Amino acid sequence: MTRGPDQYTQALPWGAGDLEARVGMMPVCCVAQICCCCGPAPCDPCCPCCPRVKVSTGTRLLYVLFHILACAVCCLVLSRTVVEAIKENVPFYTALCEHLPGGTNCNLLVGYSAVYRVCFGTACFYLGQAAFLINVKSSTSFRALLHNGFWFLKLLLLVGLWAAAFFIPDQHFIRAWHLVGVCGGFVFILVQLVLITAFAHTWNKNWLTGASKDKRWCLMVLLATLGFYAVAFVAYAFLYNFYTHPGGCALNKGLLAFNGSLCLLMSFVSVTPCVRLRPSSSGPLQASIICCYLMYLTFSAFSSRPPEKVQYQGQNLTICFPSIGKDGMQKKDTTVAVLGAGVMYACVLFACNEASLLAEMFGPLWMIKVYSVEFQKPSCCFCCLDRMEEELAESPGSLVGHDESDHVVYSYSAFHFVFFLASLYVMMTLTNWFSYEGAELEATFTLGSWSTFWVKVVSGWACVLLYLWLLLAPLCLPDSHLPPPSHPTQRIIRRRRRRALHRVSVAV
């Protein structure tokens, strides 16, 4: 089924419908794309078979493509193979070096310095828009039109910022920008940890709401919990089997044992009576999700660490790699490392989108208020933010009403600010965090880096601490925060108190 010209004309501002009469035989789709690239009109796919894309979805998708383009450029300039090809095949390479602050050695055009400068331009691109779009509440305002359109001009601006960054003198820029990158990267890690713990908290609370009304939801909670624990156990067995070796890898073995103990600790704390009686939404489902995430971070850390060279059974071996050859010996292979990097970047893009939605729903303090969401009814699609907005709109005292005509779907400013942090996080990850000098893309996936390894290990421990704090912090609240007397949990507390008093009287 094809779309008529009226469908495109209705979506185009600034009299785009009149342009059709002036251009004669030019298709309406071409007019739409011209208005999208050079005007405030939102982009829409021309293919009649493609589903119609919402303005908010299309805008975020295009900004994601901009960020993917920036990351691809960073990987290219960091690759030793690509750098050698550029030096041999680009005719004006030497002439360009003479006009740059780095001189004739061309250190600015390749390696970690080029990654820092490309990410500097990308970060300025997103940070400038974050400041420009603060407190935008209507998609029809002038600033919102700039946000949703002018894509070709934005691409030129982004490329111009990349080019301008290469003319910054290299005296103190790299060191100062490295400090900014470290701070921004750690802040982005914190955002990711809040999102994963809030995801687990919200899932458990939503389904326990249904379990209190229908016992079939209890079965779903049980199946989901067992499923996540099964995934965590399989991941643990996989890491022990492929990332350890009888001749060494003592650090991997120790971290696996320690992180496995943390999983047992979280599971035990989540089912203790003192914890379950305070936050009524706590349970093993939350702990199982955090255990899976901890195993993922452990896998990512093991994939990022340098190998070990040991002598085992009279042979010199390089161990602690995931791949095993036909002879049973471990060998270098970048497949698992590249796969882990792809999963990591997918999590980065998901965090950017999710944080912008939560910032619009809960305001600047969304990282705190997201844990206080209350659901009126359970849903299998609770993680969809549109469903969550409906729940908040139906509940009394909701923070944000579900009214798209008066509010934008997501926070434009928070969206760009989180992408600014993501640019710094990607920059630090590609350049091995604290050992950025001499960083190469090939070495990142084969030789690894201790800095990246420990950052990911500490991130996993920080996630566990955040989750335990969410469980144990309510224990410090006064008794006034306990559920009302009519609540079943309160009746259990009174019943246990009476039993305790009875035991005391009998003992006396």
Side-chain angles (χ1 to χ4, degrees):
M1 182 177 181
T2 59
R3 302 177 191 169
D6 296 338
Q7 289 179 292
Y8 289 104
T9 306
Q10 292 176 0
L12 300 177
W14 287 14
D18 298 335
L19 291 175
E20 183 183 2
R22 292 197 296 265
V23 298
M25 299 299 294
M26 181 180 295
V28 179
C29 178
C30 295
V31 180
Q33 299 307 314
I34 292 175
C35 293
C36 163
C37 294
C38 303
C43 288
D44 194 21
C46 291
C47 179
C49 301
C50 298
R52 194 165 183 83
V53 180
K54 296 181 180 179
V55 175
S56 60
T57 304
T59 299
R60 283 176 289 178
L61 180 61
L62 288 173
Y63 279 116
V64 166
L65 293 179
F66 278 6
H67 199 269
I68 293 176
L69 175 63
C71 293
V73 172
C74 290
C75 292
L76 291 177
V77 297
L78 194 62
S79 173
R80 181 177 61 256
T81 305
V82 175
V83 168
E84 293 176 355
I86 291 176
K87 291 180 179 180
E88 295 176 358
N89 301 320
V90 176
F92 54 87
Y93 182 81
T94 305
L96 182 61
C97 293
E98 297 177 355
H99 295 82
L100 292 176
T104 59
N105 56 2
C106 290
N107 291 329
L108 298 180
L109 294 178
V110 296
Y112 74 93
S113 177
V115 173
Y116 272 41
R117 294 172 189 276
V118 171
C119 289
F120 176 80
T122 307
C124 291
F125 175 77
Y126 285 109
L127 183 61
Q129 292 190 83
F132 179 73
L133 297 171
I134 292 178
N135 201 30
V136 173
K137 297 299 182 183
S138 175
S139 60
T140 59
S141 64
F142 173 73
R143 292 185 294 167
L145 294 177
L146 292 177
H147 170 74
N148 293 318
F150 300 97
W151 294 105
F152 180 71
L153 300 180
K154 290 177 183 176
L155 180 60
L156 293 180
L157 175 62
L158 180 60
V159 175
L161 290 173
W162 292 348
F166 283 90
F167 291 91
I168 301 177
D170 197 18
Q171 297 177 354
H172 304 289
F173 168 75
I174 295 296
R175 184 170 299 179
W177 187 237
H178 174 257
L179 295 177
V180 175
V182 169
C183 297
F186 280 124
V187 172
F188 185 78
I189 290 175
L190 176 62
V191 171
Q192 286 186 308
L193 297 182
V194 171
L195 288 175
I196 187 64
T197 53
F199 171 77
H201 181 85
T202 305
W203 188 341
N204 194 70
K205 178 180 289 187
N206 182 276
W207 282 18
L208 285 183
T209 301
S212 61
K213 303 175 183 178
D214 190 345
K215 297 304 181 183
R216 289 177 295 182
W217 285 99
C218 295
L219 178 61
M220 295 186 63
V221 172
L222 177 62
L223 293 178
T225 302
L226 294 178
F228 279 111
Y229 274 124
V231 171
F233 179 78
V234 171
Y236 186 91
F238 169 82
L239 293 175
Y240 186 82
N241 190 25
F242 291 101
Y243 281 89
T244 62
H245 193 273
C249 300
L251 180 60
N252 287 12
K253 297 175 183 177
L255 285 175
L256 270 177
F258 182 73
N259 288 348
S261 301
L262 291 179
C263 292
L264 294 177
L265 176 64
M266 290 187 295
S267 303
F268 174 75
V269 173
S270 65
V271 297
T272 53
C274 59
V275 170
R276 290 184 59 83
L277 292 180
R278 285 286 184 161
S280 58
S281 61
S282 64
L285 177 58
Q286 287 176 291
S288 64
I289 297 174
I290 303 301
C291 288
C292 286
Y293 188 68
L294 180 60
M295 289 296 104
Y296 160 72
L297 290 178
T298 307
F299 156 75
S300 183
F302 287 175
S303 301
S304 304
R305 60 154 293 172
E308 290 184 14
K309 295 182 179 180
V310 298
Q311 187 173 9
Y312 180 70
Q313 295 181 351
Q315 295 180 346
N316 294 325
L317 301 178
T318 302
I319 60 175
C320 304
F321 277 98
S323 180
I324 297 182
K326 296 181 180 180
D327 55 354
M329 300 299 179
Q330 291 183 318
K331 63 180 182 179
K332 295 182 179 180
D333 190 0
T334 61
T335 303
V336 177
V338 172
L339 178 62
V343 174
M344 179 209 71
Y345 191 66
C347 294
V348 168
L349 298 179
F350 173 77
C352 295
N353 178 71
E354 197 76 3
S356 63
L357 294 172
L358 294 175
E360 176 60 27
M361 291 174 57
F362 299 102
L365 300 179
W366 67 269
M367 297 179 71
I368 300 176
K369 295 180 179 180
V370 67
Y371 296 103
S372 61
V373 177
E374 295 293 341
F375 294 92
Q376 299 296 322
K377 54 184 178 180
S379 173
C380 293
C381 301
F382 73 95
C383 54
C384 179
L385 272 297
D386 294 336
R387 295 292 188 88
M388 188 181 294
E389 284 187 345
E390 294 176 1
E391 292 287 343
L392 293 175
E394 295 174 0
S395 60
S398 61
L399 299 174
V400 179
H402 184 64
D403 189 0
E404 293 185 356
S405 61
D406 297 331
H407 297 80
V408 294
V409 177
Y410 61 99
S411 174
Y412 294 169
S413 180
F415 177 78
H416 287 288
F417 184 74
V418 178
F419 260 111
F420 160 74
L421 297 177
S423 301
L424 300 179
Y425 175 76
V426 171
M427 178 185 74
M428 301 307 299
T429 302
L430 287 177
T431 56
N432 298 330
W433 287 87
F434 300 101
S435 55
Y436 57 90
E437 295 183 354
E440 292 181 352
L441 185 65
E442 291 82 359
T444 300
F445 293 116
T446 56
L447 300 181
S449 170
W450 286 116
S451 299
T452 305
F453 170 79
W454 284 113
V455 166
K456 294 180 179 180
V457 169
V458 174
S459 298
W461 295 343
C463 183
V464 173
L465 291 177
L466 178 61
Y467 172 69
L468 292 178
W469 179 80
L470 291 173
L471 290 183
L472 301 178
L475 299 178
C476 301
L477 298 176
D479 292 341
S480 58
H481 291 269
L482 288 172
S486 59
H487 197 277
T489 305
Q490 183 69 16
R491 291 197 297 268
I492 295 175
I493 295 175
R494 292 202 307 266
R495 191 182 306 117
R496 291 186 176 181
R497 287 179 177 175
R498 288 196 298 266
R499 291 176 181 175
L501 292 175
H502 177 70
R503 293 194 194 100
V504 172
S505 61
V506 172
V508 172

mmCIF file with all atom_site columns, all heavy atoms in Angstrom, residues 447-466:
data_model
loop_
_atom_site.group_PDB
_atom_site.id
_atom_site.type_symbol
_atom_site.label_atom_id
_atom_site.label_alt_id
_atom_site.label_comp_id
_atom_site.label_asym_id
_atom_site.label_entity_id
_atom_site.label_seq_id
_atom_site.pdbx_PDB_ins_code
_atom_site.Cartn_x
_atom_site.Cartn_y
_atom_site.Cartn_z
_atom_site.occupancy
_atom_site.B_iso_or_equiv
_atom_site.pdbx_formal_charge
_atom_site.auth_seq_id
_atom_site.auth_comp_id
_atom_site.auth_asym_id
_atom_site.auth_atom_id
_atom_site.pdbx_PDB_model_num
ATOM 1   N N   . LEU A 1 447 ? 46.092 -7.554 22.391 1.00 0.00 ? 447 LEU A N   1
ATOM 2   C CA  . LEU A 1 447 ? 46.986 -7.467 23.536 1.00 0.00 ? 447 LEU A CA  1
ATOM 3   C C   . LEU A 1 447 ? 46.296 -6.993 24.802 1.00 0.00 ? 447 LEU A C   1
ATOM 4   O O   . LEU A 1 447 ? 46.746 -7.284 25.904 1.00 0.00 ? 447 LEU A O   1
ATOM 5   C CB  . LEU A 1 447 ? 48.160 -6.533 23.198 1.00 0.00 ? 447 LEU A CB  1
ATOM 6   C CG  . LEU A 1 447 ? 49.012 -6.967 22.002 1.00 0.00 ? 447 LEU A CG  1
ATOM 7   C CD1 . LEU A 1 447 ? 50.141 -5.974 21.782 1.00 0.00 ? 447 LEU A CD1 1
ATOM 8   C CD2 . LEU A 1 447 ? 49.561 -8.371 22.195 1.00 0.00 ? 447 LEU A CD2 1
ATOM 9   N N   . GLY A 1 448 ? 45.202 -6.238 24.662 1.00 0.00 ? 448 GLY A N   1
ATOM 10  C CA  . GLY A 1 448 ? 44.462 -5.785 25.831 1.00 0.00 ? 448 GLY A CA  1
ATOM 11  C C   . GLY A 1 448 ? 45.159 -4.662 26.572 1.00 0.00 ? 448 GLY A C   1
ATOM 12  O O   . GLY A 1 448 ? 46.218 -4.154 26.167 1.00 0.00 ? 448 GLY A O   1
ATOM 13  N N   . SER A 1 449 ? 44.579 -4.273 27.690 1.00 0.00 ? 449 SER A N   1
ATOM 14  C CA  . SER A 1 449 ? 45.118 -3.186 28.509 1.00 0.00 ? 449 SER A CA  1
ATOM 15  C C   . SER A 1 449 ? 44.693 -3.406 29.955 1.00 0.00 ? 449 SER A C   1
ATOM 16  O O   . SER A 1 449 ? 43.520 -3.706 30.239 1.00 0.00 ? 449 SER A O   1
ATOM 17  C CB  . SER A 1 449 ? 44.601 -1.834 28.008 1.00 0.00 ? 449 SER A CB  1
ATOM 18  O OG  . SER A 1 449 ? 44.915 -0.799 28.911 1.00 0.00 ? 449 SER A OG  1
ATOM 19  N N   . TRP A 1 450 ? 45.650 -3.264 30.867 1.00 0.00 ? 450 TRP A N   1
ATOM 20  C CA  . TRP A 1 450 ? 45.330 -3.403 32.284 1.00 0.00 ? 450 TRP A CA  1
ATOM 21  C C   . TRP A 1 450 ? 44.412 -2.284 32.766 1.00 0.00 ? 450 TRP A C   1
ATOM 22  O O   . TRP A 1 450 ? 43.580 -2.495 33.663 1.00 0.00 ? 450 TRP A O   1
ATOM 23  C CB  . TRP A 1 450 ? 46.605 -3.442 33.110 1.00 0.00 ? 450 TRP A CB  1
ATOM 24  C CG  . TRP A 1 450 ? 47.353 -4.732 33.016 1.00 0.00 ? 450 TRP A CG  1
ATOM 25  C CD1 . TRP A 1 450 ? 48.593 -4.934 32.505 1.00 0.00 ? 450 TRP A CD1 1
ATOM 26  C CD2 . TRP A 1 450 ? 46.882 -6.019 33.460 1.00 0.00 ? 450 TRP A CD2 1
ATOM 27  N NE1 . TRP A 1 450 ? 48.949 -6.265 32.589 1.00 0.00 ? 450 TRP A NE1 1
ATOM 28  C CE2 . TRP A 1 450 ? 47.916 -6.954 33.172 1.00 0.00 ? 450 TRP A CE2 1
ATOM 29  C CE3 . TRP A 1 450 ? 45.715 -6.478 34.048 1.00 0.00 ? 450 TRP A CE3 1
ATOM 30  C CZ2 . TRP A 1 450 ? 47.801 -8.305 33.472 1.00 0.00 ? 450 TRP A CZ2 1
ATOM 31  C CZ3 . TRP A 1 450 ? 45.600 -7.824 34.344 1.00 0.00 ? 450 TRP A CZ3 1
ATOM 32  C CH2 . TRP A 1 450 ? 46.631 -8.713 34.061 1.00 0.00 ? 450 TRP A CH2 1
ATOM 33  N N   . SER A 1 451 ? 44.535 -1.090 32.201 1.00 0.00 ? 451 SER A N   1
ATOM 34  C CA  . SER A 1 451 ? 43.668 0.021  32.615 1.00 0.00 ? 451 SER A CA  1
ATOM 35  C C   . SER A 1 451 ? 42.212 -0.293 32.306 1.00 0.00 ? 451 SER A C   1
ATOM 36  O O   . SER A 1 451 ? 41.331 -0.143 33.160 1.00 0.00 ? 451 SER A O   1
ATOM 37  C CB  . SER A 1 451 ? 44.105 1.308  31.910 1.00 0.00 ? 451 SER A CB  1
ATOM 38  O OG  . SER A 1 451 ? 45.423 1.656  32.252 1.00 0.00 ? 451 SER A OG  1
ATOM 39  N N   . THR A 1 452 ? 41.953 -0.724 31.076 1.00 0.00 ? 452 THR A N   1
ATOM 40  C CA  . THR A 1 452 ? 40.587 -1.087 30.697 1.00 0.00 ? 452 THR A CA  1
ATOM 41  C C   . THR A 1 452 ? 40.081 -2.259 31.530 1.00 0.00 ? 452 THR A C   1
ATOM 42  O O   . THR A 1 452 ? 38.904 -2.287 31.944 1.00 0.00 ? 452 THR A O   1
ATOM 43  C CB  . THR A 1 452 ? 40.536 -1.439 29.208 1.00 0.00 ? 452 THR A CB  1
ATOM 44  O OG1 . THR A 1 452 ? 41.072 -0.356 28.444 1.00 0.00 ? 452 THR A OG1 1
ATOM 45  C CG2 . THR A 1 452 ? 39.125 -1.716 28.760 1.00 0.00 ? 452 THR A CG2 1
ATOM 46  N N   . PHE A 1 453 ? 40.948 -3.219 31.787 1.00 0.00 ? 453 PHE A N   1
ATOM 47  C CA  . PHE A 1 453 ? 40.565 -4.379 32.592 1.00 0.00 ? 453 PHE A CA  1
ATOM 48  C C   . PHE A 1 453 ? 40.080 -3.960 33.973 1.00 0.00 ? 453 PHE A C   1
ATOM 49  O O   . PHE A 1 453 ? 38.994 -4.366 34.412 1.00 0.00 ? 453 PHE A O   1
ATOM 50  C CB  . PHE A 1 453 ? 41.765 -5.327 32.693 1.00 0.00 ? 453 PHE A CB  1
ATOM 51  C CG  . PHE A 1 453 ? 41.589 -6.445 33.678 1.00 0.00 ? 453 PHE A CG  1
ATOM 52  C CD1 . PHE A 1 453 ? 40.856 -7.559 33.367 1.00 0.00 ? 453 PHE A CD1 1
ATOM 53  C CD2 . PHE A 1 453 ? 42.172 -6.362 34.943 1.00 0.00 ? 453 PHE A CD2 1
ATOM 54  C CE1 . PHE A 1 453 ? 40.696 -8.596 34.272 1.00 0.00 ? 453 PHE A CE1 1
ATOM 55  C CE2 . PHE A 1 453 ? 42.023 -7.387 35.858 1.00 0.00 ? 453 PHE A CE2 1
ATOM 56  C CZ  . PHE A 1 453 ? 41.284 -8.508 35.522 1.00 0.00 ? 453 PHE A CZ  1
ATOM 57  N N   . TRP A 1 454 ? 40.854 -3.142 34.669 1.00 0.00 ? 454 TRP A N   1
ATOM 58  C CA  . TRP A 1 454 ? 40.488 -2.771 36.025 1.00 0.00 ? 454 TRP A CA  1
ATOM 59  C C   . TRP A 1 454 ? 39.298 -1.815 36.068 1.00 0.00 ? 454 TRP A C   1
ATOM 60  O O   . TRP A 1 454 ? 38.510 -1.834 37.026 1.00 0.00 ? 454 TRP A O   1
ATOM 61  C CB  . TRP A 1 454 ? 41.683 -2.169 36.744 1.00 0.00 ? 454 TRP A CB  1
ATOM 62  C CG  . TRP A 1 454 ? 42.678 -3.198 37.171 1.00 0.00 ? 454 TRP A CG  1
ATOM 63  C CD1 . TRP A 1 454 ? 43.948 -3.377 36.705 1.00 0.00 ? 454 TRP A CD1 1
ATOM 64  C CD2 . TRP A 1 454 ? 42.466 -4.230 38.157 1.00 0.00 ? 454 TRP A CD2 1
ATOM 65  N NE1 . TRP A 1 454 ? 44.551 -4.450 37.323 1.00 0.00 ? 454 TRP A NE1 1
ATOM 66  C CE2 . TRP A 1 454 ? 43.654 -4.996 38.220 1.00 0.00 ? 454 TRP A CE2 1
ATOM 67  C CE3 . TRP A 1 454 ? 41.393 -4.584 38.966 1.00 0.00 ? 454 TRP A CE3 1
ATOM 68  C CZ2 . TRP A 1 454 ? 43.801 -6.075 39.077 1.00 0.00 ? 454 TRP A CZ2 1
ATOM 69  C CZ3 . TRP A 1 454 ? 41.537 -5.679 39.815 1.00 0.00 ? 454 TRP A CZ3 1
ATOM 70  C CH2 . TRP A 1 454 ? 42.721 -6.396 39.863 1.00 0.00 ? 454 TRP A CH2 1
ATOM 71  N N   . VAL A 1 455 ? 39.136 -0.983 35.044 1.00 0.00 ? 455 VAL A N   1
ATOM 72  C CA  . VAL A 1 455 ? 37.955 -0.117 35.004 1.00 0.00 ? 455 VAL A CA  1
ATOM 73  C C   . VAL A 1 455 ? 36.689 -0.960 34.940 1.00 0.00 ? 455 VAL A C   1
ATOM 74  O O   . VAL A 1 455 ? 35.698 -0.682 35.640 1.00 0.00 ? 455 VAL A O   1
ATOM 75  C CB  . VAL A 1 455 ? 38.048 0.850  33.804 1.00 0.00 ? 455 VAL A CB  1
ATOM 76  C CG1 . VAL A 1 455 ? 36.696 1.506  33.535 1.00 0.00 ? 455 VAL A CG1 1
ATOM 77  C CG2 . VAL A 1 455 ? 39.082 1.933  34.070 1.00 0.00 ? 455 VAL A CG2 1
ATOM 78  N N   . LYS A 1 456 ? 36.695 -1.998 34.136 1.00 0.00 ? 456 LYS A N   1
ATOM 79  C CA  . LYS A 1 456 ? 35.512 -2.853 34.016 1.00 0.00 ? 456 LYS A CA  1
ATOM 80  C C   . LYS A 1 456 ? 35.302 -3.699 35.269 1.00 0.00 ? 456 LYS A C   1
ATOM 81  O O   . LYS A 1 456 ? 34.152 -3.939 35.676 1.00 0.00 ? 456 LYS A O   1
ATOM 82  C CB  . LYS A 1 456 ? 35.645 -3.736 32.783 1.00 0.00 ? 456 LYS A CB  1
ATOM 83  C CG  . LYS A 1 456 ? 35.619 -2.935 31.489 1.00 0.00 ? 456 LYS A CG  1
ATOM 84  C CD  . LYS A 1 456 ? 35.757 -3.807 30.263 1.00 0.00 ? 456 LYS A CD  1
ATOM 85  C CE  . LYS A 1 456 ? 35.697 -2.972 28.997 1.00 0.00 ? 456 LYS A CE  1
ATOM 86  N NZ  . LYS A 1 456 ? 35.823 -3.788 27.768 1.00 0.00 ? 456 LYS A NZ  1
ATOM 87  N N   . VAL A 1 457 ? 36.391 -4.154 35.887 1.00 0.00 ? 457 VAL A N   1
ATOM 88  C CA  . VAL A 1 457 ? 36.253 -4.929 37.127 1.00 0.00 ? 457 VAL A CA  1
ATOM 89  C C   . VAL A 1 457 ? 35.647 -4.062 38.233 1.00 0.00 ? 457 VAL A C   1
ATOM 90  O O   . VAL A 1 457 ? 34.706 -4.479 38.931 1.00 0.00 ? 457 VAL A O   1
ATOM 91  C CB  . VAL A 1 457 ? 37.612 -5.494 37.551 1.00 0.00 ? 457 VAL A CB  1
ATOM 92  C CG1 . VAL A 1 457 ? 37.543 -6.070 38.964 1.00 0.00 ? 457 VAL A CG1 1
ATOM 93  C CG2 . VAL A 1 457 ? 38.060 -6.581 36.577 1.00 0.00 ? 457 VAL A CG2 1
ATOM 94  N N   . VAL A 1 458 ? 36.166 -2.856 38.378 1.00 0.00 ? 458 VAL A N   1
ATOM 95  C CA  . VAL A 1 458 ? 35.654 -1.953 39.414 1.00 0.00 ? 458 VAL A CA  1
ATOM 96  C C   . VAL A 1 458 ? 34.219 -1.545 39.103 1.00 0.00 ? 458 VAL A C   1
ATOM 97  O O   . VAL A 1 458 ? 33.404 -1.346 40.019 1.00 0.00 ? 458 VAL A O   1
ATOM 98  C CB  . VAL A 1 458 ? 36.573 -0.729 39.539 1.00 0.00 ? 458 VAL A CB  1
ATOM 99  C CG1 . VAL A 1 458 ? 35.983 0.302  40.495 1.00 0.00 ? 458 VAL A CG1 1
ATOM 100 C CG2 . VAL A 1 458 ? 37.960 -1.158 40.027 1.00 0.00 ? 458 VAL A CG2 1
ATOM 101 N N   . SER A 1 459 ? 33.863 -1.430 37.821 1.00 0.00 ? 459 SER A N   1
ATOM 102 C CA  . SER A 1 459 ? 32.478 -1.114 37.458 1.00 0.00 ? 459 SER A CA  1
ATOM 103 C C   . SER A 1 459 ? 31.527 -2.205 37.945 1.00 0.00 ? 459 SER A C   1
ATOM 104 O O   . SER A 1 459 ? 30.427 -1.919 38.435 1.00 0.00 ? 459 SER A O   1
ATOM 105 C CB  . SER A 1 459 ? 32.356 -0.944 35.944 1.00 0.00 ? 459 SER A CB  1
ATOM 106 O OG  . SER A 1 459 ? 33.155 0.122  35.483 1.00 0.00 ? 459 SER A OG  1
ATOM 107 N N   . GLY A 1 460 ? 31.944 -3.446 37.809 1.00 0.00 ? 460 GLY A N   1
ATOM 108 C CA  . GLY A 1 460 ? 31.108 -4.538 38.314 1.00 0.00 ? 460 GLY A CA  1
ATOM 109 C C   . GLY A 1 460 ? 30.946 -4.492 39.819 1.00 0.00 ? 460 GLY A C   1
ATOM 110 O O   . GLY A 1 460 ? 29.843 -4.693 40.338 1.00 0.00 ? 460 GLY A O   1
ATOM 111 N N   . TRP A 1 461 ? 32.028 -4.212 40.528 1.00 0.00 ? 461 TRP A N   1
ATOM 112 C CA  . TRP A 1 461 ? 31.924 -4.098 41.987 1.00 0.00 ? 461 TRP A CA  1
ATOM 113 C C   . TRP A 1 461 ? 31.051 -2.912 42.394 1.00 0.00 ? 461 TRP A C   1
ATOM 114 O O   . TRP A 1 461 ? 30.296 -2.995 43.364 1.00 0.00 ? 461 TRP A O   1
ATOM 115 C CB  . TRP A 1 461 ? 33.324 -3.967 42.591 1.00 0.00 ? 461 TRP A CB  1
ATOM 116 C CG  . TRP A 1 461 ? 34.167 -5.178 42.399 1.00 0.00 ? 461 TRP A CG  1
ATOM 117 C CD1 . TRP A 1 461 ? 33.739 -6.428 42.058 1.00 0.00 ? 461 TRP A CD1 1
ATOM 118 C CD2 . TRP A 1 461 ? 35.586 -5.270 42.524 1.00 0.00 ? 461 TRP A CD2 1
ATOM 119 N NE1 . TRP A 1 461 ? 34.793 -7.298 41.966 1.00 0.00 ? 461 TRP A NE1 1
ATOM 120 C CE2 . TRP A 1 461 ? 35.945 -6.626 42.240 1.00 0.00 ? 461 TRP A CE2 1
ATOM 121 C CE3 . TRP A 1 461 ? 36.600 -4.373 42.846 1.00 0.00 ? 461 TRP A CE3 1
ATOM 122 C CZ2 . TRP A 1 461 ? 37.259 -7.063 42.288 1.00 0.00 ? 461 TRP A CZ2 1
ATOM 123 C CZ3 . TRP A 1 461 ? 37.909 -4.814 42.882 1.00 0.00 ? 461 TRP A CZ3 1
ATOM 124 C CH2 . TRP A 1 461 ? 38.235 -6.137 42.610 1.00 0.00 ? 461 TRP A CH2 1
ATOM 125 N N   . ALA A 1 462 ? 31.156 -1.798 41.653 1.00 0.00 ? 462 ALA A N   1
ATOM 126 C CA  . ALA A 1 462 ? 30.320 -0.634 41.957 1.00 0.00 ? 462 ALA A CA  1
ATOM 127 C C   . ALA A 1 462 ? 28.850 -0.951 41.736 1.00 0.00 ? 462 ALA A C   1
ATOM 128 O O   . ALA A 1 462 ? 27.977 -0.483 42.484 1.00 0.00 ? 462 ALA A O   1
ATOM 129 C CB  . ALA A 1 462 ? 30.749 0.554  41.093 1.00 0.00 ? 462 ALA A CB  1
ATOM 130 N N   . CYS A 1 463 ? 28.540 -1.759 40.723 1.00 0.00 ? 463 CYS A N   1
ATOM 131 C CA  . CYS A 1 463 ? 27.149 -2.154 40.493 1.00 0.00 ? 463 CYS A CA  1
ATOM 132 C C   . CYS A 1 463 ? 26.621 -2.978 41.658 1.00 0.00 ? 463 CYS A C   1
ATOM 133 O O   . CYS A 1 463 ? 25.480 -2.786 42.101 1.00 0.00 ? 463 CYS A O   1
ATOM 134 C CB  . CYS A 1 463 ? 27.052 -2.935 39.185 1.00 0.00 ? 463 CYS A CB  1
ATOM 135 S SG  . CYS A 1 463 ? 25.388 -3.422 38.720 1.00 0.00 ? 463 CYS A SG  1
ATOM 136 N N   . VAL A 1 464 ? 27.435 -3.875 42.172 1.00 0.00 ? 464 VAL A N   1
ATOM 137 C CA  . VAL A 1 464 ? 27.022 -4.688 43.324 1.00 0.00 ? 464 VAL A CA  1
ATOM 138 C C   . VAL A 1 464 ? 26.807 -3.801 44.553 1.00 0.00 ? 464 VAL A C   1
ATOM 139 O O   . VAL A 1 464 ? 25.819 -3.965 45.292 1.00 0.00 ? 464 VAL A O   1
ATOM 140 C CB  . VAL A 1 464 ? 28.073 -5.766 43.613 1.00 0.00 ? 464 VAL A CB  1
ATOM 141 C CG1 . VAL A 1 464 ? 27.739 -6.517 44.905 1.00 0.00 ? 464 VAL A CG1 1
ATOM 142 C CG2 . VAL A 1 464 ? 28.154 -6.746 42.457 1.00 0.00 ? 464 VAL A CG2 1
ATOM 143 N N   . LEU A 1 465 ? 27.706 -2.854 44.798 1.00 0.00 ? 465 LEU A N   1
ATOM 144 C CA  . LEU A 1 465 ? 27.555 -1.952 45.933 1.00 0.00 ? 465 LEU A CA  1
ATOM 145 C C   . LEU A 1 465 ? 26.292 -1.108 45.813 1.00 0.00 ? 465 LEU A C   1
ATOM 146 O O   . LEU A 1 465 ? 25.579 -0.886 46.801 1.00 0.00 ? 465 LEU A O   1
ATOM 147 C CB  . LEU A 1 465 ? 28.786 -1.059 46.060 1.00 0.00 ? 465 LEU A CB  1
ATOM 148 C CG  . LEU A 1 465 ? 30.084 -1.748 46.496 1.00 0.00 ? 465 LEU A CG  1
ATOM 149 C CD1 . LEU A 1 465 ? 31.236 -0.745 46.502 1.00 0.00 ? 465 LEU A CD1 1
ATOM 150 C CD2 . LEU A 1 465 ? 29.924 -2.374 47.883 1.00 0.00 ? 465 LEU A CD2 1
ATOM 151 N N   . LEU A 1 466 ? 26.003 -0.618 44.606 1.00 0.00 ? 466 LEU A N   1
ATOM 152 C CA  . LEU A 1 466 ? 24.787 0.176  44.405 1.00 0.00 ? 466 LEU A CA  1
ATOM 153 C C   . LEU A 1 466 ? 23.548 -0.653 44.679 1.00 0.00 ? 466 LEU A C   1
ATOM 154 O O   . LEU A 1 466 ? 22.596 -0.179 45.325 1.00 0.00 ? 466 LEU A O   1
ATOM 155 C CB  . LEU A 1 466 ? 24.769 0.724  42.978 1.00 0.00 ? 466 LEU A CB  1
ATOM 156 C CG  . LEU A 1 466 ? 23.540 1.548  42.579 1.00 0.00 ? 466 LEU A CG  1
ATOM 157 C CD1 . LEU A 1 466 ? 23.399 2.778  43.466 1.00 0.00 ? 466 LEU A CD1 1
ATOM 158 C CD2 . LEU A 1 466 ? 23.620 1.952  41.103 1.00 0.00 ? 466 LEU A CD2 1
#
